[in-house]
Amino acid sequence: MFPKQASTMAPQVDLLYLFLIAVGLFFSGAIFIAVAFFAVRYRRRSDDDAPKAIAGNHILEATWIVLPLALVMVMFAWGAVLYFKMSTPPADAMEIFVVGKQWMWKIQHPEGKREINQLHVPVGYPVKLTMTSEDVLHSFFVPAFRMKMDVVPGRYTTAWFNATKIGTYRLFCAEYCGTQHSGMIGKVTVMSPTDYEVWLSGGDASEIPMHVRGEKIFQKLRCDTCHFAGDSQLGPKLHEIFGSTVALEGGRTVVVDDDYIRESILEPTAKVVAGYSPVMPTYEGQINQEQLMEVIAYIRSLTEQESE
Ligand code: CUA
């Protein structure tokens, strides 16, 4: 009835699901039995047979309010706890970047390895996916991991899993996205950590880490003229900013994360840092989704290097 369980979340999701099914079966059964029993026990025995009028029963009414309420609160709390677990990647998760487009999955590892409709991961490590779409809504779905997350144009969504079994699992697009939607499928290969290392370093020797690619794009688009010019530069500094909170023109603040950097590249005037003029042009159309992720990886690396 269930697909294979191949992630740490899978047994937990299945247990909750089984609980819901069990509760549903129990009450369906109880209702069918009660209907049959009452139909026989309280059937009309003669033409002038009339039931006694009942004014009400407070204990009975309280019971059928309190018991179902308690039961659905159990479902709610259990589901909420699982939901938070599923939506909070562990801090030490390794990160992989996913771009969905009609009709394929493009995947990039920070070390530079890129793949299409394939995802290779090591067993026993939390993996965080940062995902976006080049065109329409898609949804990244790996049934064996009980993991499904919308992949949305114009923003980043994240999902995570920790694979528990070596093997190959199916990857689906779970959001109707056009004529070839059903063909937008792939494979997730879970390998031992050593096999993963070998896989990661094998193949094309010219593979360049994402942040290095990002730096090249950064220089090609001449971002450095405004952001790395020194004290009188036109744009805000980019070192040691990732993850910090910056003040904006107009008094608001924003946390520098993937989405904010992305927005600042495509729509620079949306949130201007306090003390700067909105002079940056948009780079919409000059940079694709994968390059955007690479530039973000580069800007992130400017912070990570500082903290090492
Ligand atoms: Cu992509 Cu359906």
Side-chain angles (χ1 to χ4, degrees):
M1 187 163 70
F2 290 103
K4 246 190 217 162
Q5 296 178 338
S7 79
T8 49
M9 290 309 298
Q12 304 180 54
V13 172
D14 289 358
L15 196 63
L16 173 59
Y17 199 66
L18 280 172
F19 172 73
L20 298 180
I21 292 174
V23 169
L25 282 178
F26 173 79
F27 280 102
S28 310
I31 288 166
F32 285 139
I33 290 167
V35 166
F37 174 75
F38 289 161
V40 176
R41 176 74 179 74
Y42 298 107
R43 69 187 185 277
R44 200 173 199 194
R45 289 160 205 265
S46 65
D47 281 350
D48 53 356
D49 192 7
K52 247 197 312 182
I54 297 169
N57 185 330
H58 290 306
I59 294 173
L60 200 59
E61 284 171 26
T63 310
W64 76 51
I65 290 169
V66 171
L67 281 186
L69 180 70
L71 201 59
V72 292
M73 287 316 282
V74 167
M75 293 173 186
F76 168 72
W78 191 345
V81 167
L82 267 190
Y83 178 81
F84 281 116
K85 261 195 201 173
M86 293 172 90
S87 45
T88 318
D92 60 341
M94 54 181 275
E95 209 171 348
I96 292 175
F97 299 85
V98 177
V99 175
K101 67 170 269 192
Q102 288 167 323
W103 287 275
M104 63 169 84
W105 296 106
K106 296 191 284 188
I107 288 161
Q108 185 164 14
H109 298 249
E111 296 81 359
K113 195 95 174 172
R114 293 194 268 195
E115 37 187 348
I116 285 178
N117 293 339
Q118 296 265 0
L119 169 61
H120 288 76
V121 292
V123 70
Y125 282 89
V127 175
K128 175 187 168 192
L129 304 176
T130 297
M131 307 188 283
T132 191
S133 166
E134 231 171 83
D135 36 47
V136 299
L137 261 185
H138 303 278
S139 182
F140 194 94
F141 181 32
V142 184
F145 297 165
R146 308 294 186 275
M147 190 212 81
K148 176 154 72 174
M149 180 50 76
D150 278 3
V151 176
V152 186
R155 54 174 287 202
Y156 291 121
T157 52
T158 58
W160 77 279
F161 59 85
N162 186 339
T164 51
K165 279 195 195 94
I166 290 173
T168 305
Y169 308 99
R170 283 162 164 275
L171 157 66
F172 293 101
C173 177
E175 187 78 58
Y176 181 68
C177 56
T179 49
Q180 304 290 311
H181 156 71
S182 62
M184 195 169 163
I185 48 178
K187 269 190 215 149
V188 181
T189 307
V190 178
M191 319 166 88
S192 74
T194 35
D195 285 351
Y196 178 72
E197 285 306 320
V198 170
W199 174 84
L200 205 56
S201 57
D204 192 350
S206 66
E207 241 130 30
I208 307 162
M210 277 182 79
H211 67 274
V212 178
R213 278 206 191 105
E215 185 175 8
K216 291 217 174 89
I217 298 161
F218 190 85
Q219 284 161 356
K220 198 175 122 217
L221 294 174
R222 307 298 303 143
C223 310
D224 49 334
T225 38
C226 290
H227 287 285
F228 288 171
D231 287 337
S232 60
Q233 68 189 33
L234 287 170
K237 65 177 189 129
L238 300 177
H239 288 86
E240 289 175 87
I241 56 155
F242 193 81
S244 67
T245 305
V246 294
L248 299 177
E249 283 291 307
R252 289 179 301 155
T253 60
V254 69
V255 174
V256 181
D257 58 7
D258 296 341
D259 271 309
Y260 176 57
I261 298 175
R262 175 180 206 283
E263 181 185 58
S264 298
I265 295 169
L266 300 179
E267 204 187 325
T269 52
K271 296 193 184 90
V272 177
V273 176
Y276 292 92
S277 312
V279 292
M280 179 171 158
T282 172
Y283 286 83
E284 181 97 60
Q286 298 185 51
I287 186 166
N288 67 31
Q289 295 306 325
E290 284 145 287
Q291 292 171 328
L292 257 178
M293 283 174 160
E294 287 160 1
V295 170
I296 291 170
Y298 170 58
I299 292 172
R300 278 197 206 182
S301 75
L302 295 175
T303 298
E304 283 154 16
Q305 279 166 4
E306 305 289 333
S307 64
E308 265 164 22

